[in-house]
Every structure is written in structure tokens, then in C-alpha cells.
Amino acid sequence: MGTTLDIKAFLDKDEQKDLLRLLTAGSVDDGKSTLIGRLLFDSKKLYEDQLDALERDSKRMGNAGEHIDYALLLDGLKAEREQGITIDVAYRYFSTNNRKFIIADTPGHEQYTRNMITGGSTANLAIILVDARTGVITQTRRHTFLVSLLGIKHVVLAVNKMDLVDFSEERFNEIVSEYKKFVDPLGIPDVNCIPLSALDGDNVVEKSERTPWYKGISLLDFLETVHIDNDHNLTDFRFPVQYVLRPNLDFRGFCGKVASGVVRKGDQVMALPSGKTSRVKSIVTYDGELDYAFPPQSVTLTLEDEIDVSRGEMLVHTDNLPIVDRNFEAMLVWMDEEPMDVNKSFFIKQTTNMSRTRIDSIKYKVDVNTMEHSAVPFLSLNEIARVVLTTAKELFFDPYQKNKSCGSFILIDPITNNTSAVGMIIDRVEVKDMNTTDDIPVLDLPKLGIAPEHYESIEKAVKELERQGIAVKIIK
């Protein structure tokens, strides 16, 4: 009986652990895959058959001489193993007694920028590796810029291969000061630097005796203790509605994920775009009702009044509204093999909202290696630019730096259905600053001589157009 309870207690404790999502980035051969392999190996997270296969593969195709080649744990594609590089984003899951981790091992090459953006879009922390021999190089700068673009608040600069520079404190300090000089203007709030050797395991899981001058903690200790709870925006309540739940006459609930902020029973909320207000009657989940909900919980809200809310609309607090606009500026990462056609009308998906959009203008392209700005007529694969977009109907958004989930969007090609680009909203743009202005079409029903009995069917048709991302304003 005691054992059963112990197992239950263990499982309960395991469920309570929080989750840290991290991404590793660095230049080719900086040892990213080796470092993660080492983390898994030293924290005893490998099964025996994995270990046997690893030893066998290391002898056959490893690149680590007499050592076990830990990188083979992650570089699973045949092409990756043959070239000794990472191409795809490999996700690895492991946990320690204090925390669960999901690691995205992202490729270092410039042609795989989109893979890195994908891997980093959900990350709380980034480990950027540099080789102690070469120090901060172009790729280090590029990865740090991408990390700041994605709004990742915690960065670890892991100075790897310290064994090849005899664990020199002077060399480590040199790299750190050069990196800090570059990173300061990017505004990343939490940057930590750790000297390590992934191959030998120095400062990876345990503090190393070979770096007595290093006063900080080991990499795993840092990952276990870094404070990420404050990274969620808990002030601006945003609830994009995913689905309206109507199982019977007596229940009408709005399902969705709390994107940001906290909602409590009895709170006054407003539905956007209609502007109608009501109070939260209950917060329902599969496990019963809650008194309050916060991100990233998925819940069903019921309201005191019957108000019309459907998918793509948003519930917010009446005293804290998002920006509601059709024109905004954003940083755009182009992800399609096919170059951008500025005359094309794309679908834009932001939260649960779908609309049509077109690119009004490209302000400048950012060279990810030198941070220089240049004027370009269009974007090609992996290029990043600051653009102005205009949508067919109003979107409800916050700047990405303030609220990740309401400030991010994707552009979808209407013909191929490919994800053409991902974007991070900077702010709204005034109509007077737009290159071209196209107002929402207006149907003035009385002016057109349409009798009131037809209003309902016209509203129905307009609602269907809106669902397809085309907004039409009705005057009755």
C-alpha cells in the first residue's frame, strides 16, 4: 500500500514541475548537439539500448576520436550524420528532479534561418554556443539578433571547447566583453555567460575543477533555477475565442486559450469588435469550475448576458483594450521558397482571427549578419524586413514585445496554402502614413432603397464574407 502511495506522490510531484522550453543555436561545429547529448547523458536520461547504439555508432561514424560522440543522439537524419551538421529542428524531451525541459536543437546555417525561427517561437530561453578558439563570429551575432527578434528574454552564452584554450580565464573574459558590447543595444534583459567543455562535461552538469576562476553555477543548475514565471504578460487580459460551445439550450460557452492576463469570475468583459459588454458568469474546465484563469490555460467562459460572439473575436477587460486597426508595422521573416509578390493578397492568421491582407510597403530589409538596413523591392527565402501591412478587416493586437501571442501572425499563400511568412507586430500605422489607402466598402441600405425586411439576409451574407476575411460595413 505504501509503495502505491509513493508512486502516486511521485507522479503528482512530476505533474507539478514547470516546463522550460529552450533553444540551442551556434555556428557549425560549435558543439550544440554534443552539448545536448552530454546534458542527457550526464543527467542519466538515456536508456540502455540508446547507450549501446550510441557506443556502436560512435565507433562506426563518430567525429570525436576516442570519445563517445554525443552529437549522434540528436543528428538523426542520414544527411546530418554524414556531414556532421544539424539540418532539421530536433526536439528532445528530458526532465530532472526540479523541472521538465524541451530542447529545440536548431541548425546554424544561414539557409536554415526559418527552421531556427520555428524552433525559437515557443522558447523561454536560448543557449548560444561559441567556440572558445574563434570567439564571437558573424553567426553568433545573427543568432542573437534572431533571438531578440523572437522576444526571448533569457540568453546563455555558452563558451564551449574551453579545453582547447587550456581553460584560459583571459580568453573567456575577452569573448564575454565582445559579446556584451554587441548584445546591449538589442535589449535582452537576462544574459549569462558560462565557460564549458561539452565533450569532457566541464560545467555542463557539475561545476568543473578546471575553471576555479569561474564563480557562477553549472549550465544544468542554471537551467533548473532560471525564473521564467514573470515572462507571461499577466496584466492585459486577452481571450481569442476559438469555438462556441452550445451542447444544449441552457449552456452557451466560449472556448479558447487565455493568451495573456488574468480573468476572474464576475469580471466585466467586452467582446471585440462589437463592443458589447457583460460579466463572466463562470470559468469552466474539464476538471470543474475555476475562480480565475491565466495563461496558458485553455478554458470555457460563460457570460451573464446573451451576446453574439463567434470564432476569431476576442474577449477583453473593458478598461484595458488592445489596438484595433487595419494598418500596422511588423518585422516579417519570409519562409516560402517562392519570392514575395507584393501585389498578391495573402491570408493573415493572428490569434484565432483570419483575414485578407496585402503588403503596403517594405520599409527596409535587415542584413542578419551585419544588421545593416537596405531598400528592397521584395523578399526571398529567409530574409527579414520591416514592412507595413493592411488587412481587409480590423484585427485586435498588441505589440509583440509586450504580448507575444497577440502580436504574432502568419501569412498564408491563398493559392498554394503554404506558410509564406511569420511576423511580429511593432505598432499601428496612421492612415496618413500609408502608401495606398483603401477604405472598407460601405453598404448604405436606406440609400440603396432596400426594405428593412431584407436587412437580416444581407447581414448574414456580410457575416459570411467577414468569415472569409473580407470586411463590409453596413449602414441601416
Side-chain angles (χ1 to χ4, degrees):
M1 183 68 186
T3 325
T4 322
L5 278 176
D6 289 348
I7 291 169
K8 190 178 180 315
F10 170 76
L11 290 173
D12 286 348
K13 182 172 182 270
D14 197 59
E15 221 167 81
Q16 301 298 306
K17 287 182 199 170
D18 69 343
L19 172 69
L20 176 74
R21 290 173 175 272
L22 59 127
L23 121 123
T24 56
S27 173
V28 190
D29 297 335
D30 274 348
K32 296 186 298 297
S33 302
T34 308
L35 174 67
I36 298 172
R38 186 88 221 188
L39 268 175
L40 295 171
F41 181 81
D42 281 3
S43 53
K44 312 281 185 285
K45 292 294 171 252
L46 296 178
Y47 297 111
E48 281 182 7
D49 57 336
Q50 277 178 305
L51 273 175
D52 293 342
L54 182 63
E55 284 177 13
R56 206 168 48 244
D57 289 351
S58 293
K59 289 195 182 85
R60 195 164 49 113
M61 61 199 325
N63 299 317
E66 291 299 303
H67 294 268
I68 288 179
D69 188 356
Y70 298 105
L72 295 178
L73 283 169
L74 282 101
D75 293 338
L77 299 179
K78 196 158 182 269
E80 293 178 323
R81 288 188 162 197
E82 281 168 2
Q83 298 175 53
I85 60 166
T86 302
I87 294 171
D88 198 13
V89 180
Y91 291 97
R92 280 292 172 276
Y93 174 91
F94 81 104
S95 70
T96 62
N97 294 338
N98 304 323
R99 208 172 230 170
K100 295 176 183 172
F101 300 93
I102 295 176
I103 306 178
D105 181 25
T106 60
H109 298 65
E110 192 173 346
Q111 77 233 48
Y112 302 120
T113 298
R114 62 176 173 173
N115 306 44
M116 182 173 165
I117 293 281
T118 309
S121 59
T122 53
N124 311 102
L125 176 143
I127 299 175
I128 293 178
L129 270 97
V130 296
D131 186 324
R133 295 168 301 175
T134 51
V136 177
I137 55 171
T138 309
Q139 288 204 346
T140 317
R141 294 191 180 93
R142 182 172 82 244
H143 295 146
T144 308
F145 169 66
L146 293 175
V147 161
S148 73
L149 191 69
L150 288 165
I152 296 172
K153 293 183 170 68
H154 309 277
V155 170
V156 175
L157 181 75
V159 183
N160 192 20
K161 306 196 179 180
M162 287 297 291
D163 49 317
L164 300 179
V165 293
D166 299 327
F167 295 93
S168 155
E169 182 182 5
E170 197 182 318
R171 180 69 186 130
F172 176 71
N173 291 340
E174 217 173 278
I175 292 169
V176 168
S177 66
E178 191 185 344
Y179 185 73
K180 287 271 172 77
K181 219 183 311 175
F182 169 74
V183 85
D184 283 348
L186 294 174
I188 299 170
D190 179 28
V191 179
N192 289 274
C193 307
I194 301 175
L196 47 89
S197 163
L199 198 62
D200 297 337
D202 295 273
N203 290 333
V204 177
V205 172
E206 304 287 339
K207 274 281 304 257
S208 169
E209 290 168 7
R210 298 200 279 183
T211 52
W213 43 266
Y214 170 63
K215 299 292 177 265
I217 53 179
S218 73
L219 178 63
L220 187 65
D221 279 349
F222 178 77
L223 296 179
E224 281 189 326
T225 53
V226 64
H227 189 64
I228 54 164
D229 295 346
N230 294 349
D231 292 357
H232 281 299
N233 177 337
L234 296 173
T235 44
D236 310 308
F237 171 60
R238 307 283 182 259
F239 187 78
V241 175
Q242 283 186 15
Y243 183 70
V244 181
L245 198 60
R246 186 90 176 150
N248 56 44
L249 288 173
D250 310 319
F251 188 90
R252 180 192 175 102
F254 305 108
C255 311
K257 186 177 184 175
V258 181
S260 62
V262 181
V263 63
R264 293 179 170 79
K265 261 163 66 168
D267 277 4
Q268 189 172 27
V269 292
M270 180 190 281
L272 294 175
S274 69
K276 292 193 169 68
T277 58
S278 181
R279 289 194 178 277
V280 177
K281 187 173 164 190
S282 62
I283 302 168
V284 185
T285 69
Y286 180 75
D287 299 317
E289 290 197 11
L290 303 174
D291 289 330
Y292 60 91
F294 52 87
Q297 285 180 314
S298 294
V299 295
T300 300
L301 300 183
T302 67
L303 304 179
E304 301 275 3
D305 310 281
E306 287 280 333
I307 59 173
D308 181 22
V309 180
S310 52
R311 179 180 168 84
E313 297 183 5
M314 190 182 272
L315 295 176
V316 296
H317 282 146
T318 46
D319 57 353
N320 181 336
L321 303 179
I323 300 168
V324 179
D325 211 325
R326 291 174 54 226
N327 310 319
F328 55 87
E329 252 185 321
M331 292 303 288
L332 203 65
V333 183
W334 197 254
M335 300 184 90
D336 205 337
E337 307 277 344
E338 197 180 300
M340 174 198 284
D341 176 359
V342 284
N343 301 315
K344 192 185 269 185
S345 165
F346 294 92
F347 280 116
I348 182 169
K349 189 169 187 307
Q350 177 256 350
T351 64
T352 56
N353 212 341
M354 192 88 152
S355 178
R356 283 281 187 159
T357 186
R358 48 174 199 76
I359 293 146
D360 181 74
S361 62
I362 301 174
K363 293 221 158 171
Y364 55 78
K365 185 187 103 171
V366 181
D367 183 318
V368 285
N369 295 323
T370 61
M371 306 299 133
E372 282 170 3
H373 297 171
S374 57
V376 289
F378 62 88
L379 293 181
S380 304
L381 181 64
N382 293 322
E383 290 186 337
I384 298 173
R386 185 169 179 151
V387 300
V388 177
L389 294 149
T390 184
T391 57
K393 64 176 183 183
E394 290 180 325
L395 298 183
F396 329 114
F397 58 85
D398 295 297
Y400 182 81
Q401 291 296 346
K402 183 180 165 191
N403 193 340
K404 270 188 174 186
S405 45
C406 295
S408 53
F409 62 88
I410 60 171
L411 296 186
I412 300 164
D413 188 303
I415 299 160
T416 61
N417 235 1
N418 289 341
T419 301
S420 296
V422 298
M424 286 68 84
I425 296 173
I426 298 164
D427 212 341
R428 60 147 43 110
V429 174
E430 297 300 327
V431 175
K432 62 178 173 30
D433 299 326
M434 301 292 290
N435 274 7
T436 51
T437 57
D438 49 350
D439 296 328
I440 291 179
V442 177
L443 282 178
D444 192 332
L445 302 183
K447 207 172 174 183
L448 293 166
I450 294 168
E453 59 265 26
H454 300 305
Y455 287 4
E456 198 179 325
S457 48
I458 289 171
E459 280 178 342
K460 216 172 182 179
V462 166
K463 191 110 181 148
E464 180 53 36
L465 279 173
E466 212 158 82
R467 210 175 57 78
Q468 293 171 30
I470 300 156
V472 179
K473 193 175 177 185
I474 297 178
I475 297 174
K476 292 191 274 192

